[in-house]
Amino acid sequence: MTYACRKGVGVNSLWNDSAELERHLRRRVPNLWFLSERFLNRVLAAMAKDGRRVPMNSRSPVWVPAADAGRFGVPFEIASGGSSPLLLLIPPDDRLLYDHNDGEVLAIYNRLIDRAEIMQFLDDQTAQPDADLARWFETLPDSVRREIRFVLEAEHLLPPDPSSAEVCRAFLPVVAELSKNRPAAVADFFPLLVASGPIPGELRDILPV
């Protein structure tokens, strides 16, 4: 299959060399792996069937505990990669990045890693108990809570019937990544949130970006 590429974007670009891009991204996350969208959807389905509260969205970063990776259908050569959690991402061709230059491809994946790092940070129940996150979320105005749920549901970033804590765990990585890399876009996605004022300090302080 032949794809028309923008000037300056060739067949040797990172979008067309997943192995090289994977090696580059592992400088940030050593246990990062590309998995096709079809295969990652199967992993997510297996996790959901096992009772894991995961959104069915293979375009979002997916963390898989190393001990459970084989049971969820992660290929052996990936699942046997050590004891650290696996960060699974779909490759550039599944993201239709055929007309993106290397800088744009790296920016897209670095934003995904930013989000993934916050997801992993928030997943520590000891550091960030559900009760604390739920309490903060419930302090937001009703209109802002509805907006956040609507955006996250539209982006398929929530599990079925999410709790307030689950909404918060999905929301914070998104808004933190936007605030770091594309601050003007926060108002595009969450205009009512921005109009209501900044994220409260006690929550802003826990974010690692």
Side-chain angles (χ1 to χ4, degrees), residues 34-42 58 89-91 93-94:
F34 283 148
L35 208 58
S36 73
E37 187 169 22
R38 180 178 62 85
F39 216 122
L40 189 49
N41 279 327
R42 289 164 56 185
S58 58
L89 301 172
I90 61 173
D93 52 344
D94 278 340

Side-chain angles (χ1 to χ4, degrees), residues 51-180:
R52 305 298 175 102
R53 300 284 294 163
V54 294
M56 299 302 293
N57 182 354
S58 58
R59 302 185 72 80
S60 182
V62 177
W63 286 103
V64 178
D68 299 322
R71 183 160 58 91
F72 293 146
V74 176
F76 176 79
E77 62 271 20
I78 298 177
S80 59
S83 59
S84 300
L86 310 175
L87 175 57
L88 304 181
L89 301 172
I90 61 173
D93 52 344
D94 278 340
R95 294 185 185 278
L96 305 179
L97 299 182
Y98 308 120
D99 63 344
H100 290 61
N101 63 40
D102 287 358
E104 291 167 337
V105 171
L106 287 172
I108 289 167
Y109 278 94
N110 277 310
R111 291 198 298 265
L112 288 167
I113 292 174
D114 286 341
R115 189 191 301 183
E117 289 176 339
I118 302 168
M119 290 167 62
Q120 187 180 44
F121 177 80
L122 291 172
D123 201 41
D124 184 350
Q125 288 278 346
T126 303
Q128 307 302 332
D130 279 351
D132 290 351
L133 295 176
R135 183 166 54 250
W136 172 78
F137 186 72
E138 294 301 330
T139 65
L140 296 174
D142 289 347
S143 59
V144 174
R145 294 203 306 271
R146 287 195 298 270
E147 174 184 73
I148 290 171
R149 283 181 179 267
F150 175 82
V151 172
L152 296 178
E153 287 171 354
E155 297 292 326
H156 306 288
L157 295 175
L158 293 174
D161 302 316
S163 67
S164 293
E166 287 174 325
V167 174
C168 199
R169 288 184 190 281
F171 163 69
L172 286 175
V174 172
V175 75
E177 181 276 310
L178 289 173
S179 297
K180 176 185 177 182

Side-chain angles (χ1 to χ4, degrees), residues 14-52:
L14 284 176
W15 70 260
N16 197 46
D17 191 347
S18 292
E20 177 58 29
L21 177 59
E22 204 173 42
R23 284 191 292 270
H24 185 94
L25 297 176
R26 283 184 188 145
R27 298 173 189 171
R28 285 191 64 183
V29 182
N31 221 9
L32 178 151
W33 298 85
F34 283 148
L35 208 58
S36 73
E37 187 169 22
R38 180 178 62 85
F39 216 122
L40 189 49
N41 279 327
R42 289 164 56 185
V43 171
L44 286 169
M47 294 176 72
K49 186 176 181 180
D50 189 61
R52 305 298 175 102

